Amino acid sequence: MRTIGLIGGMSWESTAEYYRILNESVRDRLGGLHSARVIVDSLDFAEVAALQSAGAWTEAGQLLADRAARLEQAGADLVVLATNTMHLVADAIQARLSVPFLHIGDAAADAIEAAGVTVVGLLGTRFTMENPFLVDHLSRRGLRVLLPPAQDRTLVHDVIYDELVQGVVREESRLAYAEVIDRLVAAGAEGVLLGCTEIELLVTPGWTRVPTFPTTRLHAEAAAAAALAP
């Protein structure tokens, strides 16, 4: 079994989900008392959020690349970044590594394609929805990505930062998200990509009338599979 290096803390709630899913996936594949070999480097999200708000993406990329390099030095055989938004600096991270970096966009695209979906709505932080890094990654795989209108993007972003990353899950926000999803479906979305790891705390499986693609689970399961691959 290969050792997974996990860059976490953005937020710690979603990182805890990654850790749980990684271990469950390895247990389910190997049985018995097996669990994943994981090295976790958990950042202080307040520092990262400040860089996001300031648009200091070069500095943020350097910070995460340094952490990725430390994980490799500590013995990680592959590296996973436990957040959608910070894949904006994925190139900087990959440039520092000699071990594989598992991009969240690839895990998402694989699942979307397997479901036979070609048009997907994207929910995430404002940084993820309004910067092209994830949309472009999916588009290169032949997928069409729909974004919510500006007012809905603000609502989705604010719920993530004001509630979900602080562990707050409100029924009112769940219903508001349902309306956003309905509008994406009306615009042509055949499925919805939950492009923020915390959104899965709010939008649960089977809760929508179109398929949802939870990036936390998809990414973590792909990492477990990679760790166990021949």
Side-chain angles (χ1 to χ4, degrees):
M1 188 192 310
R2 295 175 180 83
T3 298
I4 300 166
L6 187 66
I7 309 173
M10 300 165 285
S11 65
W12 69 261
E13 286 89 354
S14 65
T15 305
E17 283 294 291
Y18 265 89
Y19 185 72
R20 179 181 63 82
I21 296 167
L22 285 169
N23 284 289
E24 288 177 348
S25 296
V26 169
R27 178 202 63 197
D28 292 346
R29 287 169 179 268
L30 298 183
L33 299 178
H34 286 288
S35 57
R37 292 177 179 166
V38 187
I39 306 171
V40 181
D41 188 350
S42 188
L43 283 73
D44 179 359
F45 188 39
E47 297 175 2
V48 177
L51 293 172
Q52 291 174 342
S53 297
W57 298 110
T58 299
E59 292 83 352
Q62 292 172 346
L63 171 64
L64 268 61
D66 287 345
R67 296 304 184 106
R70 291 183 188 181
L71 285 169
E72 182 176 351
Q73 291 167 4
D77 299 305
L78 56 97
V79 172
V80 173
L81 177 59
T83 163
N84 282 268
T85 296
M86 295 313 295
H87 275 75
L88 193 153
V89 299
D91 289 346
I93 296 171
Q94 288 177 303
R96 289 286 297 278
L97 293 173
S98 59
V99 298
F101 175 77
L102 274 60
H103 197 291
I104 201 167
D106 290 325
D110 288 344
I112 294 167
E113 290 173 353
V117 169
T118 58
V119 183
V120 65
L122 172 61
L123 300 182
T125 66
R126 178 179 293 111
F127 311 113
T128 297
M129 292 184 288
E130 296 182 356
N131 288 283
F133 67 97
L134 186 55
V135 172
D136 286 352
H137 201 93
L138 297 174
S139 296
R140 286 194 292 271
R141 295 284 296 268
L143 300 171
R144 181 181 170 213
V145 182
L146 302 181
L147 299 178
Q151 185 174 353
D152 284 352
R153 294 199 299 270
T154 297
L155 182 151
V156 170
H157 177 91
D158 289 348
V159 167
I160 292 167
Y161 276 83
D162 296 343
E163 300 173 24
L164 298 180
V165 298
Q166 300 179 47
V168 177
V169 178
R170 300 172 63 241
E171 188 62 23
E172 296 92 332
S173 298
R174 195 190 310 274
L175 295 175
Y177 267 49
E179 294 175 356
V180 172
I181 291 171
D182 284 343
R183 286 189 282 273
L184 283 169
V185 172
E190 302 165 352
V192 177
L193 180 63
L194 308 182
C196 174
T197 46
E198 286 82 12
I199 291 179
E200 294 165 53
L201 303 173
L202 192 66
V203 179
T204 52
W207 185 72
T208 61
R209 57 193 177 96
V210 295
T212 56
F213 301 95
T215 52
T216 296
R217 174 164 292 281
L218 296 172
H219 199 200
E221 289 178 347
L228 296 175

